[in-house]
Amino acid sequence: TKTVVLTGTGLDQLTAEDISLSGNKVVSYTPNTDGTSATVVFESKFASGQEQTLQVNGESFKFTFEYTVSSVQLEPGTYDDNKDGQQLTFYLNDSSEAADSEYLRQAGYKVKFVATDSFGGPARIFDGDVSTCNTGLLDRTNEIGDYTVEVQIEKDGKIVASSQQVISIVDVETATTAINSV
């Protein structure tokens, strides 16, 4: 979402200062050894579906970035039963960078987190005491226990869902994680 790969000749002769994209800043420019390819990393993510113009050494190149979700992975975790601002983390397309729900919405996707309790019923663990949400933000207070959660990403009627993961809610203040000696 932030990277452009250039191909051509003489790319090893360019520097980051020779490249620009309106409203964005070049973070790094890395040509390969024979100058036939170069990777440009920008500071901000590209807007999905909008034509953009890349300036390379005075020449203009138009491109349109289309963000496509092919897989989603929800990170299991343990969370405190009474803490503000806890949010579930998920990854897209085998990326190691956490996904950004707001960016996905801007790209035309709908994000939905779904939680169930140990009996398969709705688990009201998300902000606003609900069992589904579009942010993954947990409620400030939750009942201690294990919950099954999945994240669903939808666009144009196509849904890509994560496998179900266990989210544990514990009382962090009283939980003992290990006893080293007695």
Side-chain angles (χ1 to χ4, degrees), residues 1 12 16 18 21 28 43 48 50 55 58-59 73 93 104 111 115 123 130 137 146-147 150 168 174 176-177 181:
T1 57
D12 54 343
D18 296 319
L21 182 66
S28 69
E43 185 174 66
S48 182
Q50 294 181 3
Q55 298 288 329
E59 287 192 53
Q73 303 84 31
N93 304 337
L104 285 168
V111 178
V130 295
L137 186 63
D146 290 337
Y147 302 93
E150 77 175 22
S168 297
T174 59
T176 302
T177 58
S181 65

Side-chain angles (χ1 to χ4, degrees), residues 61-124:
F61 299 92
K62 293 187 183 292
F63 72 95
T64 301
F65 173 73
E66 291 290 339
Y67 191 74
T68 304
V69 174
S70 59
S71 67
V72 58
Q73 303 84 31
L74 178 64
E75 185 174 290
T78 301
Y79 299 89
D80 195 355
D81 67 333
N82 59 358
K83 183 177 178 185
D84 280 327
Q86 298 178 104
Q87 190 166 15
L88 302 182
T89 303
F90 66 104
Y91 304 91
L92 300 172
N93 304 337
D94 299 321
S95 172
S96 61
E97 182 179 335
D100 179 348
S101 295
E102 182 57 31
Y103 178 77
L104 285 168
R105 280 190 285 286
Q106 291 172 3
Y109 287 91
K110 293 178 185 173
V111 178
K112 183 178 181 182
F113 291 85
V114 180
T116 55
D117 61 20
S118 59
F119 301 107
R124 303 169 73 90

Side-chain angles (χ1 to χ4, degrees), residues 73-77 114 147-150 162-167:
Q73 303 84 31
L74 178 64
E75 185 174 290
V114 180
Y147 302 93
T148 302
V149 180
E150 77 175 22
S162 70
S163 60
Q164 295 181 337
Q165 297 292 339
V166 174
I167 304 300

